[in-house]
Amino acid sequence: MGRKGKKEKKGRGAEKTAAKMEKKVSKRSRKEEEDLEALIAHFQSLDARKTQVTETPCSPPCPRLNASLSAHPEKDELILFGGEYFNGQKTFVYNDLYVYNIKKDTWTKIDIPGPPPRRCAHQAVVVPQGGGQLWVFGGEFASPDGEQFYHYKDLWVLHLATKTWEQVRSTGGPSGRSGHRMVAWKRLLILFGGFHESTRDYIYYSDVYAFSLDTFTWSKLSPSGPGPTPRSGCLMSVTPQGSIAIYGGYSKQRVKKDVDRGTQHSDMFLLKSEEGGEGKWMWTRINPSGIKPTLRSGFSVAVAPNHQVLLFGGVCDEEEEESLEGMFFNDLYFYDAIRNRWFAGQLKGPKSEKKKRRRGKAEACENTSEQEQGVANSPEPLEVVKEVVDEDGTVVTIKQVLAAPSLAAGPPPEDEDGTLEPSRAPVEPCPRSNAMLAVKHGLLYVYGGMFEAGDRQVTLSDLYCLDLHKMEEWKTLVEMDPKTQEWLEETDSEEDSSSGEGAEGGDEDQDVDSGESGEEEEGCHG
């Protein structure tokens, strides 16, 4: 009995120690949030200088990922908000607002008084009422050194007709998070998942919330049936039948101290509103047929003209304890909810392109690639095969064909009748993750995102367009040469470390110079 009592005491002691540790971690997390809140407040004071709406014609926005790109419900415009950029040493987070005029092929920077604080990995949903509204929830702010994160739980609406921002305050909403997904369903905004991370801990969510556009109130939904496990970055889209589809996503778990294991999910669910049950919802797991996307995370999603859900790009990560390697994609997949079927998006190529060409001798050009069909004397494409383990234990083989390098400028190739024909490489976005997608008038627009080249993270600012009706070829609207992007090597010197801290909480001039999207265009780097 004595030994048992000691054992119980020891158990209670361990619980107390764990509780103390949790309290310490929670206290440190609160301290981190307070530090970041002060920095966010400082930048908001800079934004408060804006007293009237100004619209300035400008060049395309600077490189970024995890922003939002939305199609205006009434005008031929795309709306770009927020995002982030990392130059190797500092993280820059934005709350700038750009409009791309599709017909004129022009960009305008719009400064509106009282905007939301700087953020990335938020969600933005456009609804048609009131001349068009852009609803924004959550997201995160990262410190310049990228070590601390503040997750928002605020809800904002941009009234497109009057060009005014409004913060909508309502209790009972989701906790602070980023990487969540949100869609408009009837007169509701439905929100699912996401994650919250501090320097010492993280949590992934699988909860579901609804915000009423009529009453401006939040309610937490409790769907019946087994639903998705906690995750962020998933596909979320309303189907023609009125259900909400959830596919894939990413989460990580702690395997042991300081070691995490990431999971790239590939399961799929439908969230349905039960007939006759006011506010009652139900989860159903589904297993679509067809050609499913290969295992990946960081993909981007849009809705195609025929109500099919479109998935673009992403990255397949292979994690080791000390390293992380990613294979990036630029392929397209479509999910047809009516047939419950996936299929790969195949481009037909331009109609005028001649299939048979001869190419003269030329030197291979560095850091460029193209996919030539029927070209003689060109290098063979390289096929990379990798095996990854799916979340259910299934071994999945991923094949990626890397196009042969293009050939340097030389004499134009000759056609079979001996006439000179200009050579034209097929246009396509390079493989990437966390890009921004929007569809307008059946045209798919892809903006920015990122890929990795060795230890370097390349953030993009290019813009491509694809006609989803014809599915012939990509069109380049904004070009970008990744080699021109600023990249600063990491350093462990105390001097640089202290300057990083200065950027976090230094004086006003230093903060603006740190690129946190201050008053001037120079806030954008790259």
Side-chain angles (χ1 to χ4, degrees), residues 36 39 85-93 141-149 199 490 496-505 514 516:
L36 290 181
L39 187 56
Y85 168 67
F86 177 60
N87 71 356
Q89 285 186 1
K90 287 183 183 176
T91 298
F92 305 92
V93 185
F141 176 86
S143 61
D145 62 7
E147 294 294 326
Q148 296 177 332
F149 306 94
T199 53
E490 281 187 295
D496 286 312
S497 173
S498 63
S499 69
E501 290 168 10
E504 221 176 291
S514 78
E516 296 288 349

Side-chain angles (χ1 to χ4, degrees), residues 55 86 161 235 337 375 494 496 513 522:
E55 300 184 34
F86 177 60
L235 174 157
V375 177
E494 288 182 13
D496 286 312
D513 290 342
E522 286 76 26

Side-chain angles (χ1 to χ4, degrees), residues 277-296:
E278 186 65 33
K280 290 189 176 180
W281 294 74
M282 175 179 65
W283 284 115
T284 304
R285 181 163 181 167
I286 58 175
N287 186 24
S289 59
I291 303 172
K292 302 174 186 177
T294 54
L295 203 60
R296 67 189 66 196

Side-chain angles (χ1 to χ4, degrees), residues 235-246 268-272 286-289 302-304 306-310 333-343:
L235 174 157
M236 185 180 190
S237 182
V238 179
T239 70
Q241 301 96 321
S243 300
I244 297 172
I246 299 286
M268 195 161 190
F269 297 82
L270 287 180
L271 178 62
K272 300 179 183 179
I286 58 175
N287 186 24
S289 59
V303 178
N306 50 6
H307 300 292
Q308 293 175 337
V309 188
L310 179 154
Y333 287 88
F334 294 86
Y335 172 66
D336 187 328
I338 295 174
R339 293 187 286 172
N340 191 27
R341 184 179 182 86
W342 281 101
F343 60 94

Side-chain angles (χ1 to χ4, degrees), residues 32 78 94 99 124 244 324 340 357 385 391 408 415 466 523:
E32 287 171 13
L78 303 180
Y94 307 115
V99 168
I244 297 172
L324 175 67
N340 191 27
R357 292 179 178 172
V385 181
E391 58 182 316
D415 204 348
L466 174 67

Side-chain angles (χ1 to χ4, degrees), residues 170-212:
S170 177
T171 58
S175 56
R177 64 189 65 195
S178 55
H180 50 287
R181 294 294 179 257
M182 186 169 74
V183 295
W185 183 88
K186 296 184 179 179
R187 299 283 297 173
L188 300 174
L189 300 178
I190 306 291
L191 184 146
F192 167 79
F195 73 98
H196 183 285
E197 182 175 10
S198 67
T199 53
R200 294 168 185 84
D201 204 6
Y202 54 83
I203 181 171
Y204 284 77
Y205 300 104
S206 60
D207 46 6
V208 186
Y209 285 84
F211 178 80
S212 170

